[in-house]
Amino acid sequence: MNVKSVFLSTLFFLSGILYTLAQTIIKPDIKSKTTFAIVVDNESYTQVREAVEAYKKSIEADGLGTYVLVHTWKSPEEIRELLIRLHADSKTPLEGCVLVGDIPIPMIRDAQHLSSAFKMDQRRDWKRSSIPSDRYYDDFGLEFKFLKQDSEIPAYFYYSLKPESKQYISPSIYSARIKPLELEGKDKHQMLRDYLWKVVAEKQKHANNPIDNLTMARGHGYNSEDEVAWAGEQLALKEQFPELFKPGNCVKFMDFESRYPMKNYYLNEVQRPELDIMLFHHHGADDTQYINGYPNTSSAQGSIENIKLYLRSKISSQAPKKGKEATIESYMKSLGVPREWCEEAFDPKKLEADSLFNLTLDIYTDDIRKITPNARFIMFDACFNGSFYEKDNIAGAYIFNPGKTIVTQANTVNTIQDKWPDEFLGLLNAGLRIGEWHRHVCFLETHLIGDPTYRFADRAGLGFDMNEAIVLNEGNIAYWKKMLKHSLPDVKAMALRQLSAADAPGLSALLRDTYFQSPYGVVRLEAMRLLTLNGHPDAPEVLKAAINDSYELVRRFATEYIAKNGSDELIPAFVQALTLRYTDRRMFFKFSEAIKTTNLEVLEAEIRKQTGNMPIYDDSDIQKVYKQIAAYKKSEAANAQAILDTITTKKNKRLEIVGFRNHPATKSIGTLLKFIDDPTRDIDLRVAAAETLGWYNLNHNKQEIIRNLSQLAPSEPVLKDEITKTINRLKGKNR
């Protein structure tokens, strides 16, 4: 560090208010074991200064010393450097931050594996093929290369994840956004001012608010609408919130089929003044929560009306492009419907009625602005609802609104359905700040919108501050081993996570024993995930049992992990579960997907072996599996041929190669390695093949892939970088 840096660093910690390189740094007014930072742009601070100062005081009233960092921020790097410096203070390390107002937006590229589902071709428009993510600000172990600032939207800054960076998410601090919406006729600074005063008022009036009202709601199409998965989550929540299920509390589980349509019921529910948490499970867009589809009916007339609705929607949108007659003829032929049903697509009155009907099915941002949401914390387990980079978005509509909603969790891009949305959620019942919870469960696309320091009262009776325990005891193996004895399941689960992060001695055996001994589904799920995601030797033994666990989500994840492991050793357990779980809709969907990555010959033989003497009244499901296997056998050979031949077009070769990102079949490893090592092949495709092998991070042959890739010596720098990144992905940790 040079003399100037030392001088500025010393000034930074000695002065209450500093103006360093035009940055205003206001220090905390209280002493605390950890600290927090409000990062705000100069214009917003000038406009709402009194509200920002009141917000700072409200955080410090909870015992958390708070910095205010003010500047006309020119780039994300300026902010990140400050946050890293504050976090490095060993006496009072920074635990989190909130980005207020017009803060630069990092647009992350070459890091799709850090998201849960995003896999768009990066050759498309950078605005759409990048992931807006504040992991740039909160995960200091990730290393990025600056690419450019967007010429049309200057707030966008594009970064590429460096090959030598760690290749997994493990945020150093938590972060959140408080970015006002940009609505016609609305003053965004007044919007920001109103929100901050709302937070201050809620914290003053209800400083010790316990979680005694929780509602979970789901929309159509979520997790295959599986009742078993839905019930499993309810049982898990009872483990995580035991007090909530006692008399005097209110727990509600609302389903999209409870009434039709459910939109108004959900909007009523989220306004309940006493509601603490609302968990939404549905599909989404930046401005929409998708709640209901067409009516579910078994009547002939109802079914006809649904078909007519479908036809009017499709034909009216396609006719201007394809022509009226051609469109009608196409649908008459493909669906076998009469012309008069299709002609309704050109009836203005019916189309107007359809438009009004469709508005009753889903929740839009305009609907939210007509209500006063009161759920203090709302989780949106949906795609795009957290698109804070858009002028309007669902999460922001709930936040910048009268009522009591303080913070939401949502996603900037699409997100996977098969995740564990409630992981560690029970720690909110123990006084954990929502930001600290979020830090341990986020993907690249997952964001908090609102105040991340908000927390509920410690109703679990921990007797210590869980926030300080997590921040100050990272890497403390002895401490977290003691926490394994705690009675709260999510404390045990967090202890397992912390021990895994610290590479505790004997971890594999500890996780195995915890899985087999714990009566709590959430603890077993944490143990199984840590074992499998980090390639511990005891993982296969646990997976064989976990695929028939009593907790549906354990079974579902085990199915996925067995498929991605790709070992023939696990196929008998896989088949046993397959024959036992026909009616678990989401799990059967995972089975169908998993077949694509399995040794098909061994799988088929094992199914015939296990079903040979099994009393089966109807084997139609098994016959469907046999048909799938036969189809996949043909496609396996065709895929390998298409990749290695010289006839298939570049576009189709690329599709075949990147298809293994979703279905990393063991048999294809050799094909991909051979393709990468062939200098006569197209360099873009060789890079794509190297990147694809990074998705084999759970494969039982992972070490062999690393060894083979390490022996390659391509002359092209772009391929060298991708191989380095893939090796680091395969070697890296997973949560």
Side-chain angles (χ1 to χ4, degrees):
M1 183 180 291
N2 59 36
V3 174
K4 181 179 179 182
S5 297
V6 172
F7 176 69
L8 290 177
S9 179
T10 303
L11 278 179
F12 181 86
F13 289 107
L14 290 179
S15 177
I17 301 179
L18 281 182
Y19 298 89
T20 304
L21 301 177
Q23 297 169 354
T24 303
I25 302 170
I26 304 172
K27 288 184 66 176
D29 293 320
I30 66 168
K31 291 184 178 181
S32 55
K33 294 181 180 179
T34 61
T35 55
F36 180 74
I38 300 170
V39 182
V40 58
D41 69 282
N42 189 62
E43 176 64 19
S44 295
Y45 184 67
T46 301
Q47 293 287 336
V48 302
R49 180 170 183 166
E50 186 178 352
V52 171
E53 291 173 349
Y55 175 49
K56 166 183 159 71
K57 289 180 180 178
S58 75
I59 298 170
E60 294 190 328
D62 190 38
L64 182 60
T66 301
Y67 292 93
V68 180
L69 312 178
V70 187
H71 186 45
T72 303
W73 306 104
K74 301 296 184 184
S75 71
E77 286 98 325
E78 296 175 306
I79 298 171
R80 192 178 206 233
E81 288 171 3
L82 273 176
L83 295 175
I84 290 173
R85 192 190 309 174
L86 289 173
H87 180 65
D89 180 4
S90 59
K91 294 182 179 179
T92 55
L94 189 75
E95 72 170 49
C97 72
V98 63
L99 309 171
V100 180
D102 295 320
I103 302 298
I105 300 171
M107 305 289 284
I108 308 302
R109 301 179 63 76
D110 306 314
Q112 294 183 4
H113 55 286
L114 301 182
S115 72
S116 67
F118 190 87
K119 293 185 178 69
M120 185 180 290
D121 188 341
Q122 289 194 154
R123 293 173 298 180
R124 296 186 181 182
D125 182 350
W126 278 30
K127 292 182 185 66
R128 295 183 60 233
S129 62
S130 305
I131 302 177
S133 179
D134 288 337
R135 295 298 82 76
Y136 178 89
Y137 291 120
D138 59 34
D139 195 330
F140 304 148
L142 297 177
E143 299 177 39
F144 298 95
K145 176 185 177 182
F146 175 67
L147 301 176
K148 68 176 182 178
Q149 184 177 8
D150 195 273
S151 59
E152 296 176 343
I153 306 179
Y156 291 0
F157 290 79
Y158 297 96
Y159 292 90
S160 172
L161 182 67
K162 290 182 178 180
E164 59 270 22
S165 168
K166 76 179 176 78
Q167 302 290 321
Y168 57 93
I169 295 283
S170 58
S172 312
I173 61 173
Y174 57 81
S175 70
R177 283 268 176 176
I178 303 177
K179 183 180 183 297
L181 305 176
E182 298 179 38
L183 306 176
E184 187 175 351
K186 296 289 184 179
D187 181 347
K188 68 177 183 179
H189 291 120
Q190 186 60 48
M191 198 180 297
L192 176 58
R193 185 181 296 112
D194 290 343
Y195 169 75
L196 292 175
W197 282 117
K198 175 175 75 168
V199 174
V200 171
E202 179 61 22
K203 287 187 171 183
Q204 288 177 343
K205 293 177 182 177
H206 303 101
N208 294 297
N209 176 35
I211 300 173
D212 51 16
N213 282 264
L214 180 149
T215 297
M216 183 166 65
R218 72 168 181 168
H220 77 105
Y222 175 82
N223 274 346
S224 306
E225 301 176 6
D226 185 358
E227 295 87 350
V228 178
W230 182 234
E233 185 173 4
Q234 296 173 44
L235 292 171
L237 286 172
K238 188 174 182 181
E239 292 182 355
Q240 296 175 291
F241 295 90
E243 292 83 8
L244 189 60
F245 284 77
K246 294 177 181 177
N249 302 273
C250 181
V251 185
K252 296 178 70 174
F253 303 108
M254 303 177 72
D255 189 69
F256 68 97
E257 289 188 315
S258 300
R259 293 287 190 275
Y260 190 87
M262 279 296 290
K263 170 180 176 174
N264 291 343
Y265 295 93
Y266 287 169
L267 291 176
N268 285 342
E269 181 65 16
V270 81
Q271 292 188 93
R272 280 204 298 125
E274 63 274 18
L275 186 59
D276 299 305
I277 296 177
M278 185 81 176
L279 306 176
F280 274 120
H281 297 305
H282 52 64
H283 293 292
D286 56 352
D287 62 352
T288 312
Q289 295 175 258
Y290 294 113
I291 306 302
N292 278 110
Y294 293 155
N296 186 7
T297 178
S298 59
S299 71
Q301 191 57 44
S303 298
I304 290 172
E305 289 304 318
N306 280 346
I307 294 171
K308 287 182 176 181
L309 268 170
Y310 173 81
L311 289 169
R312 291 196 293 268
S313 171
K314 295 297 183 181
I315 293 175
S316 63
S317 64
Q318 293 181 19
K321 303 173 187 176
K322 299 180 179 180
K324 177 179 177 179
E325 283 303 316
T327 305
I328 289 176
E329 289 293 334
S330 173
Y331 277 93
M332 287 176 59
K333 182 178 180 180
S334 63
L335 297 180
V337 294
R339 169 175 283 273
E340 54 265 31
W341 292 8
C342 299
E343 291 282 358
E344 289 186 4
F346 305 96
D347 184 333
K349 290 184 178 180
K350 287 190 178 294
L351 292 180
E352 182 181 2
D354 289 350
S355 179
L356 293 173
F357 171 71
N358 287 331
L359 289 175
T360 70
L361 302 182
D362 303 313
I363 297 173
Y364 302 92
T365 51
D366 286 343
D367 296 316
I368 300 164
R369 281 187 275 277
K370 297 172 185 176
I371 66 171
T372 54
N374 284 312
R376 278 60 166 185
F377 168 55
I378 305 176
M379 179 181 73
F380 299 99
D381 180 17
C383 302
F384 297 103
N385 280 178
S387 300
F388 63 81
Y389 53 94
E390 299 284 2
K391 293 182 178 181
D392 193 11
N393 61 82
I394 287 290
Y398 279 93
I399 288 296
F400 296 104
N401 193 307
K404 300 177 181 178
T405 298
I406 302 300
V407 59
T408 66
Q409 186 197 57
N411 302 290
T412 57
V413 294
N414 59 306
T415 190
I416 199 167
Q417 289 184 61
D418 294 294
K419 61 177 179 291
W420 188 6
D422 304 332
E423 186 177 15
F424 300 131
L425 197 65
L427 293 179
L428 300 187
N429 197 45
L432 190 70
R433 291 189 179 94
I434 290 178
E436 195 60 53
W437 165 75
H438 171 81
R439 178 165 79 98
H440 290 84
V441 300
C442 61
F443 291 95
L444 194 62
E445 73 271 13
T446 323
H447 289 75
L448 288 184
I449 310 298
D451 173 28
T453 69
Y454 184 78
R455 61 170 168 172
F456 297 98
D458 177 9
R459 201 178 185 198
L462 285 189
F464 60 90
D465 189 324
M466 193 64 183
N467 300 281
E468 292 180 357
I470 291 175
V471 176
L472 301 177
N473 287 286
E474 286 191 346
N476 188 337
I477 294 173
Y479 180 86
W480 290 110
K481 280 192 173 180
K482 289 180 182 178
M483 288 296 104
L484 284 175
K485 299 177 182 177
H486 201 279
S487 59
L488 191 66
D490 274 349
V491 173
K492 293 176 182 286
M494 176 58 72
L496 293 176
R497 170 72 73 82
Q498 295 290 337
L499 289 169
S500 177
D503 292 320
L507 184 62
S508 183
L510 171 64
L511 294 171
R512 177 200 64 209
D513 293 344
T514 299
Y515 173 82
F516 284 111
Q517 294 170 11
S518 179
Y520 299 112
V522 294
V523 176
R524 295 196 303 276
L525 181 50
E526 190 69 35
M528 181 199 69
R529 281 169 59 80
L530 292 171
L531 269 171
T532 307
L533 294 176
N534 293 293
H536 290 297
D538 290 293
E541 180 184 356
V542 168
L543 284 174
K544 290 174 185 177
I547 199 168
N548 272 311
D549 194 274
S550 60
Y551 181 16
E552 187 274 344
L553 195 56
V554 174
R555 299 197 299 270
R556 202 187 328 154
F557 271 117
T559 303
E560 177 184 332
Y561 294 158
I562 285 176
K564 290 183 176 179
N565 178 281
S567 171
D568 292 353
E569 173 192 357
L570 298 174
I571 288 179
F574 180 87
V575 171
Q576 183 187 36
L578 171 65
T579 59
L580 287 173
R581 303 290 177 179
Y582 293 134
T583 56
D584 287 16
R585 265 187 268 176
R586 192 62 185 177
M587 192 170 171
F588 197 78
F589 166 79
K590 298 297 287 184
F591 277 130
S592 298
E593 290 293 295
I595 290 172
K596 299 175 184 178
T597 66
T598 307
N599 186 326
L600 297 174
E601 288 77 13
V602 175
L603 175 64
E604 184 174 20
E606 185 64 30
I607 293 174
R608 296 190 185 281
K609 175 183 175 182
Q610 290 195 28
T611 59
N613 297 315
M614 188 179 294
I616 299 176
Y617 176 75
D618 182 352
D619 71 344
S620 56
D621 287 314
I622 294 295
Q623 294 304 320
K624 290 177 183 177
V625 173
Y626 286 144
K627 289 181 180 179
Q628 279 184 298
I629 291 173
Y632 293 151
K633 282 182 178 179
K634 291 181 180 179
S635 64
E636 264 188 355
N639 291 345
Q641 181 179 347
I643 292 171
L644 295 177
D645 68 23
T646 56
I647 301 171
T648 305
T649 64
K650 179 178 178 178
K651 178 181 179 180
N652 287 336
K653 277 187 187 293
R654 188 179 189 283
L655 289 174
E656 295 290 353
I657 289 168
V658 300
F660 293 115
R661 294 190 297 179
N662 283 331
H663 305 105
T666 300
K667 280 189 175 181
S668 301
I669 293 173
T671 300
L672 293 171
L673 286 169
K674 183 177 180 180
F675 191 90
I676 295 166
D677 195 32
D678 186 347
T680 66
R681 300 289 183 173
D682 182 276
I683 184 60
D684 293 337
L685 294 179
R686 292 170 70 197
V687 170
E691 191 267 349
T692 296
L693 280 176
W695 299 86
Y696 283 74
N697 60 317
L698 300 188
N699 192 274
H700 70 288
N701 279 333
K702 179 170 67 173
Q703 296 305 320
E704 188 67 13
I705 299 174
I706 293 172
R707 187 184 67 79
N708 279 282
L709 286 175
S710 299
Q711 292 175 351
L712 300 182
S715 59
E716 301 88 349
V718 65
L719 183 55
K720 283 183 179 180
D721 283 349
E722 198 61 55
I723 289 173
T724 297
K725 179 177 284 188
T726 289
I727 290 173
N728 285 336
R729 286 173 62 181
L730 297 176
K731 288 181 176 179
K733 276 180 170 291
N734 290 283
R735 69 158 191 264

